[in-house]
Amino acid sequence: MADDTIVINGGKKLEGTVKISGAKNATVALIPAAVLASDVVTIFDVPNIADVKALATLLNTLNVKVTKKNDHIIIDPTEIQNVTLDDEAVGKLRASYYFMGALLGRYKKVKIKMSGGCYLGPRPIDLHLKGFEALGAHIDYDDGYYMLEAEELKGANIYLDIASVGATINIMMAAVFAKGRTTIENAAKEPEIIDVSSMLNKMGAKIRGAGTSEITIDGVEKLGGCYHEIIPDRIEAGTYIILAAACAKYCKIENVIPQHIESLLMKLEEMGVKMNIGVDFVEVFESHDLKPIEVKTLPYPGLATDLQQPLTALMTQAVGISKVHETIYPERFKHCHELNLMGAEIEVGEASSTISGPTPLFGSVVTATDLRCGASLVIAALIAEGQTTIKGAYHIYRGYDHIKEKLKALGADVH
Ligand code: EPU
């Protein structure tokens, strides 16, 4: 990205319409999933985010041709070569681990460097590896590299101790060519998992039950190409709805599946945010005297941990004491320190934060320590009087498509 700082002159009332892009956390799995195809895969509504660029670099390393046209990418894996993935791009995003499942599935062999991504406290991948082992893979780890190899992959019954999004998708991809039936129990139910399974099924896979806690995959011999449109990003949608509640006169957020963010919408209603929820849009009207709330992050359909950080910025404006209980990533509270630099009064406890409001926020120099911390700081900066400089903006560009342009269209003073 060109620059690593976002500067916002806050205190303006925003107004207008914003269109939500394709879901980042589906995209980052769909792109690696394309290497399972023996023909061209075209994906529509691809968000313009740094993670997509990093994944395209990894595809190029594998000799897979990637053509980007407007909002879609054409992935041609017909000349693919299964080489070691140790490109710098692997370390740029955690989702590069989806190449483990995809390449293991296709070649029964993969060598890849440890993946990177946001630091939200420890983020183990033991459940992914256990799943691969259950399918017949042998796993070695040496000097920062994972080496996975199987003579053959065989369907297995896999129970996930935690309903992990990444493990569910990775095992699904590794199992598409496994002999016989694989069952994933206590599978994660996030909408992005349904999206990945639906693209794989268009390619010819036999996956049933995605979106429920039991997924079955019947192995097939070959997958073909397909056309696929990515679902809207529920976290980007939630972020703009929260942002609108914090500082808009009126805002229409388009290309939303409201059902995907029902837990957030209910909590915002509890706060007193005035909204009109349509079939595929949400309108937010200016709201005053917001009430404090208590939230607990949970796997889908519970409140997404990714929205906890943006929501905290809004909670600083509620009249009274709000509370966040984080059950997915107990250490995901770095944004609180930064928000306090802007005038917030947040106390971080064990896997929780307590927000006393309302507090006026003022412009400051703060750092986006991770993607959603960045989103939280953007919202706070829009509320704040004066100028805020957000450092580490590359984290924000990893997940928010054209964020400056979208904010400018709402009347924000951002550069
Ligand atoms: N976990 C394990 N072992 C594993 C895998 C996960 O203990 O092998 C634990 C994690 O430490 C965590 C919990 O299980 O406590 C859930 O993690 P999960 O695997 O579901 O998360 P993920 O797949 O690594 C995805 C999103 C995250 C989002 C989480 C939770 C992608 C690329 N990332 O991560 O998104 O926070 O699910 O919903 O899909 C973001 O977009 O900002 C982001 C971090």
Side-chain angles (χ1 to χ4, degrees):
M1 278 295 146
D3 62 319
D4 195 27
T5 303
I6 293 180
V7 178
I8 295 178
N9 292 307
K12 292 200 165 50
K13 281 282 169 203
L14 306 186
E15 190 168 9
T17 300
V18 62
K19 186 171 178 237
I20 298 308
S21 304
K24 161 190 166 272
N25 288 344
T27 309
V28 297
L30 293 168
I31 293 176
V35 307
L36 287 159
S38 47
D39 212 337
V40 175
V41 172
T42 305
I43 308 178
F44 295 90
D45 260 346
V46 176
N48 200 329
I49 53 174
D51 276 10
V52 168
K53 290 196 184 84
L55 288 170
T57 307
L58 294 179
L59 286 178
N60 290 150
T61 307
L62 295 167
N63 203 37
V64 173
K65 246 192 269 149
V66 185
T67 318
K68 187 152 179 13
K69 286 188 184 162
N70 305 321
D71 75 331
H72 66 277
I73 53 170
I74 303 164
I75 302 172
D76 180 353
T78 46
E79 308 278 318
I80 185 170
Q81 285 163 11
N82 187 18
V83 297
T84 300
L85 280 177
D86 56 1
D87 199 284
E88 194 199 336
V90 177
K92 287 197 176 150
L93 77 166
R94 183 167 163 84
S96 45
Y97 62 32
Y98 285 133
F99 282 106
M100 273 189 188
L103 292 171
L104 179 68
R106 178 156 182 170
Y107 291 101
K108 300 180 184 59
K109 191 176 173 175
V110 52
K111 186 171 176 188
I112 185 168
K113 217 170 152 182
M114 261 293 261
S115 60
C118 287
Y119 184 78
L120 311 174
R123 297 179 75 183
I125 58 163
D126 55 309
L127 299 171
H128 305 229
L129 301 178
K130 271 191 199 162
F132 298 147
E133 271 175 339
L135 294 171
H138 174 79
I139 297 165
D140 268 326
Y141 179 77
D142 186 31
D143 200 21
Y145 286 82
Y146 282 104
M147 282 149 303
L148 283 64
E149 198 165 357
E151 250 169 56
E152 82 168 337
L153 293 171
K154 269 200 198 152
N157 287 337
I158 297 163
Y159 175 83
L160 297 180
D161 295 327
I162 302 171
S164 152
V165 175
T168 302
I169 294 178
N170 234 342
I171 295 168
M172 224 160 62
M173 296 202 286
V176 284
F177 295 133
K179 286 212 168 63
R181 173 170 289 190
T182 299
T183 308
I184 309 174
E185 284 186 55
N186 195 31
K189 296 185 272 200
E190 271 68 1
E192 292 74 20
I193 293 163
I194 306 179
D195 207 26
V196 176
S197 112
S198 99
M199 186 176 96
L200 289 170
N201 283 344
K202 283 179 199 164
M203 286 157 62
K206 288 192 176 153
I207 304 172
R208 299 289 173 266
T212 75
S213 57
E214 186 175 308
I215 299 178
T216 58
I217 303 124
D218 288 311
V220 295
E221 298 273 311
K222 203 177 168 187
L223 294 182
C226 74
Y227 291 92
H228 183 77
E229 192 179 323
I230 303 172
I231 55 168
D233 194 312
R234 65 195 164 98
I235 307 301
E236 191 198 14
T239 303
Y240 280 99
I241 293 169
I242 293 167
L243 183 153
C247 55
K249 250 194 278 188
Y250 166 80
C251 185
K252 184 175 184 187
I253 296 103
E254 294 181 335
N255 195 32
V256 181
I257 300 178
Q259 195 197 352
H260 288 174
I261 45 169
E262 217 172 316
S263 46
L264 172 74
L265 295 175
M266 288 174 82
K267 279 294 165 188
L268 292 176
E269 266 169 12
E270 196 182 320
M271 286 184 94
V273 176
K274 291 187 204 130
M275 291 176 289
N276 172 36
I277 298 160
V279 176
D280 60 355
F281 65 86
V282 175
E283 288 176 300
V284 182
F285 305 95
E286 188 164 0
S287 314
H288 299 279
D289 299 325
L290 295 179
K291 295 187 201 62
I293 50 164
E294 185 154 353
V295 301
K296 192 187 218 180
T297 64
L298 288 167
Y300 187 82
L303 183 81
T305 166
D306 299 341
L307 288 171
Q308 173 263 110
Q309 292 162 291
L311 194 53
T312 300
L314 179 64
M315 286 166 159
T316 67
Q317 303 307 299
V319 187
I321 303 209
S322 296
K323 204 148 176 139
V324 173
H325 303 275
E326 174 57 73
T327 76
I328 312 289
Y329 295 114
E331 293 177 30
R332 198 173 196 173
F333 288 104
K334 290 218 175 76
H335 58 293
C336 297
H337 171 71
E338 304 299 316
L339 290 172
N340 283 347
L341 294 176
M342 299 178 70
E345 281 178 27
I346 308 174
E347 227 176 88
V348 176
E350 198 164 329
S352 68
S353 64
T354 306
I355 304 104
S356 305
T359 46
L361 301 180
F362 44 83
S364 185
V365 178
V366 288
T367 305
T369 54
D370 58 82
L371 168 59
R372 309 301 170 185
C373 165
S376 170
L377 296 177
V378 166
I379 296 169
L382 291 167
I383 300 170
E385 282 302 325
Q387 187 171 84
T388 298
T389 301
I390 304 173
K391 296 197 283 187
Y394 70 94
H395 282 295
I396 300 173
Y397 301 134
R398 281 195 43 224
Y400 288 93
D401 184 356
H402 284 106
I403 185 163
K404 285 185 185 174
E405 290 78 2
K406 289 186 185 187
L407 291 175
K408 276 182 189 158
L410 294 175
D413 183 352
V414 50
H415 46 101

